[in-house]
Structure formats: C-alpha cells, structure tokens
C-alpha cells in the first residue's frame, strides 16, 4: 500500500512497513535495515522483511497511563557490540520513575533476545502518578548519552536540582557521570543533570551541523517548546510558559523571567509533539538540514 502525499516542497510516498502493532512509541533502524520498535505495553518488536518477532528479555515496565516501554536507541558502536538502550517507566519505592537499561541484542535463527540486561540510570525520586515520563534517548557526538525526562506532572520539582524530575541528564554509556557535567561537585544538585526546568520532553535529536542537542517538549494548553538545552541552564517550567493551565489559569510569572531561557520556538495552540529528527539524506533536497517534529 503506497499513498502519495503532497507537501509544500516535495511530493512523497507514504508506504506501510508493518501493521498490527499496539501503541508503538519509538523505533531504531538496525544496520541491515531491520527495525526495533517499542510498544508502550512492554513489548520490544523486531521488524524484518515485513514480519514481526517479539524480542525476549525486556525489563518489566510500569505500563500505566503515559508510562511503559518508551524509547529505544542503538549504541554508536552497535555494529561491533550489539548494544541497545531502552527507556521505560519503572515501579519502585514511592511510585514510578523513568529508567534506562542497557542490553545486548542477540539474533539467532528466527528469534531475538536481550542478554546482559542492566539498568544504568534511575530517575530519582520515584513518585505517584502515571504521566510525564518523557524518556527520549540521544547519543552525543562525544559518546555520552542524553536522557530527556518529564516532571511526572509534579511541576515544581523541575526547578529543584536535587531531583531528576523535569531534567535533561547526561550520563556515560555505563551510567556514570561525565566529569564535565555542569553540576558535578555541588552538594545541592544531582551530578547527572545537564539542564532543568523542562515539562515533558517527548522528542530529541542531535543537530548534525553543530553536534548540539535539540529537544521538543509538551506545554499545558499551549506552550509546546523547541529548546537547544545548554549545560547548566534553566528552561523555566513551571515559572514561565507560553501556555495556560488546563483550567485557563495563568502559569507562574508569565512568559519570561530573569535567569530563565526562552524557547527557540513555541506553539500555541499545542500540537502535542512526539518525535524529532534532522533530515540528512539526498532524496528531498529542499529538506536537507531541516528539523522535523
């Protein structure tokens, strides 16, 4: 099944690769053209030649509300080490939180499984509620791993450097803390934090031209934002926003405040963003270097 799509700059053809998935959340392309697809309910699926195979060994996830099995990313050295990274909602003391696991993908015969599964990062503290897990994974050019997280619908912890809620964190592929992270050595801050004041990051990508991280996050009623998070900077939630609360009430102090960054772009009304990707290929020349949300 192929369906032509007329866009402002190019004519594209939409082709269905696979059907029958349940709440697919993220995908990663393997070197041979196969796909890994996460389903929010907790299943990781290998898609090859139009057929789907469930991958065994996925960690147990908290599949409630917006939580479950979320992002999947390949190690930059995947061709040699076979490592994959999963972001997911995890139950524990106090409620649930976003976690990141690392594993090795093994394909033999018609099957696939994860070996050597290990959780390398846990959002702390775990809290009640089933929303705003965020959970986008992006490898930086230097090999470190960015994790974009939500504030679990708790608002004020996004401003608290003692909490991982509403933050971008930057970790090593083993889950350690890079020594040049902005809050390393501060007693009142968690050393994994890269940037803060985020509401619910749902898309993230590295700009191929600059190597910098870009993110897109949900606002409330209006105020969805594109940001280019820089080390140690505060992106304002819930003190500033271009949206209003679902009740119609004003959020925080307005749209700007000293010491808080402005978004690169915002939407009002909301578009409810999910994925983000930079286009680097040659098939659509007018889009080369553009970012898609």
């Amino acid at each position: 099944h192929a369906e032509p799509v007329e866009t402002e700059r190019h004519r594209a053809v939409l082709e269905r690769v696979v059907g029958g998935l349940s709440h697919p959340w993220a995908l990663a392309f393997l070197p041979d053209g196969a796909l890994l697809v996460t389903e929010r309910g907790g299943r990781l699926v290998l898609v090859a030649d139009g057929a789907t195979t469930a991958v065994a060994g996925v960690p147990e996830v908290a599949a409630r509300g917006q939580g479950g099995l979320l992002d999947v990313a390949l190690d930059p050295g995947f061709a040699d080490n076979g490592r994959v990274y999963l972001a997911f909602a995890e139950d524990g003391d106090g409620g649930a939180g976003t976690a990141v696991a690392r594993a090795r993908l093994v394909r033999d015969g018609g099957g696939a499984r994860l070996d050597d599964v290990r959780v390398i990062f846990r959002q702390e503290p775990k809290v009640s509620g089933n929303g705003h897990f965020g959970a986008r994974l992006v490898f930086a050019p230097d090999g470190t791993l960015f994790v974009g997280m939500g504030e679990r619908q708790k608002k004020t912890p996004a401003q608290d450097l003692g909490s991982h809620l509403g933050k971008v964190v930057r970790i090593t592929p083993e889950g350690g803390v890079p020594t040049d992270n902005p809050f390393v050595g501060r007693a009142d801050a968690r050393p994994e934090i890269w940037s803060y004041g985020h509401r619910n990051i749902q898309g993230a990508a590295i700009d191929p031209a600059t190597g910098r991280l870009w993110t897109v996050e949900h606002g409330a009623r209006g105020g969805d934002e594109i940001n280019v998070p820089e080390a140690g900077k505060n992106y304002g939630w819930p003190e500033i926003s271009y949206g209003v609360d679902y009740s119609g009430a004003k959020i925080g102090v307005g749209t700007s405040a000293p010491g808080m960054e402005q978004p690169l772009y915002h939407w009002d009304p909301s578009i409810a963003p999910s994925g983000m990707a930079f286009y680097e290929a040659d098939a659509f020349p007018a889009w080369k270097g553009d970012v898609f949300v």
Side-chain angles (χ1 to χ4, degrees):
H1 176 72
E3 181 185 335
V5 179
E6 297 295 339
T7 78
E8 190 178 287
R9 296 186 185 175
H10 285 293
R11 185 175 191 268
V13 177
L14 191 65
E15 292 186 33
R16 191 173 95 164
V17 175
V18 65
L21 298 174
S22 174
H23 296 105
W25 204 94
L27 60 83
F29 287 93
L30 301 181
D32 67 354
L35 287 170
L36 283 176
V37 181
T38 62
E39 294 180 340
R40 201 181 60 212
R43 198 169 73 127
L44 180 65
V45 180
L46 177 70
V47 180
D49 302 319
T52 60
T53 304
V55 180
V58 177
E60 186 176 340
V61 307
R64 300 187 300 276
Q66 296 170 13
L69 183 58
L70 303 173
D71 207 6
V72 55
L74 303 186
D75 190 286
F78 176 85
D80 296 318
N81 61 32
R83 282 187 189 137
V84 300
Y85 292 75
L86 297 171
F88 59 101
E90 179 191 54
D91 279 325
D93 290 346
T98 305
V100 179
R102 184 174 86 166
R104 191 162 48 85
L105 178 67
V106 178
R107 296 164 69 180
D108 46 18
R113 69 179 189 273
L114 298 179
D115 279 354
D116 308 324
V117 181
R118 185 166 68 88
V119 175
I120 62 166
F121 173 82
R122 287 185 166 97
Q123 183 186 49
E124 296 291 344
K126 285 182 162 60
V127 296
S128 63
N130 300 324
H132 293 195
F133 289 94
R136 208 47 93 166
L137 303 172
V138 182
F139 276 96
D142 66 3
T144 58
L145 177 62
F146 287 114
V147 187
M149 290 183 293
E151 38 68 288
R152 301 286 283 106
Q153 295 177 309
K154 304 302 183 190
K155 296 183 178 176
T156 52
Q159 290 293 316
D160 178 6
L161 291 174
S163 162
H164 288 134
L165 277 63
K167 311 298 190 297
V168 173
V169 301
R170 177 177 176 251
I171 56 176
T172 70
E174 297 75 35
V177 177
T179 55
D180 58 346
N181 269 7
F183 298 109
V184 167
R186 267 185 58 169
D188 63 339
R190 293 191 184 258
E192 299 89 356
I193 295 173
W194 175 259
S195 60
Y196 64 111
H198 300 285
R199 185 174 181 271
N200 191 22
I201 292 174
Q202 292 282 284
I206 298 295
D207 179 349
T210 65
R212 294 172 71 188
L213 174 70
W214 287 45
T215 60
V216 60
E217 65 187 83
H218 283 224
R221 271 178 54 190
D224 298 345
E225 295 182 357
I226 291 178
N227 288 299
V228 184
E230 295 184 24
K233 293 196 174 176
N234 180 357
Y235 291 82
W237 181 259
E239 294 301 311
I240 60 172
S241 174
Y242 283 89
V244 295
D245 208 336
Y246 295 111
S247 67
K250 178 181 169 183
I251 292 170
V253 298
T255 58
S256 65
M260 296 183 182
E261 304 303 308
Q262 285 292 298
L264 185 69
Y265 187 84
H266 73 274
W267 286 272
D268 188 11
S270 290
I271 62 162
S274 56
M276 175 182 247
F278 282 88
Y279 184 72
E280 299 180 67
D282 298 317
F284 303 105
W287 288 342
K288 193 154 188 173
D290 288 354
V291 65
F292 284 74
V293 172

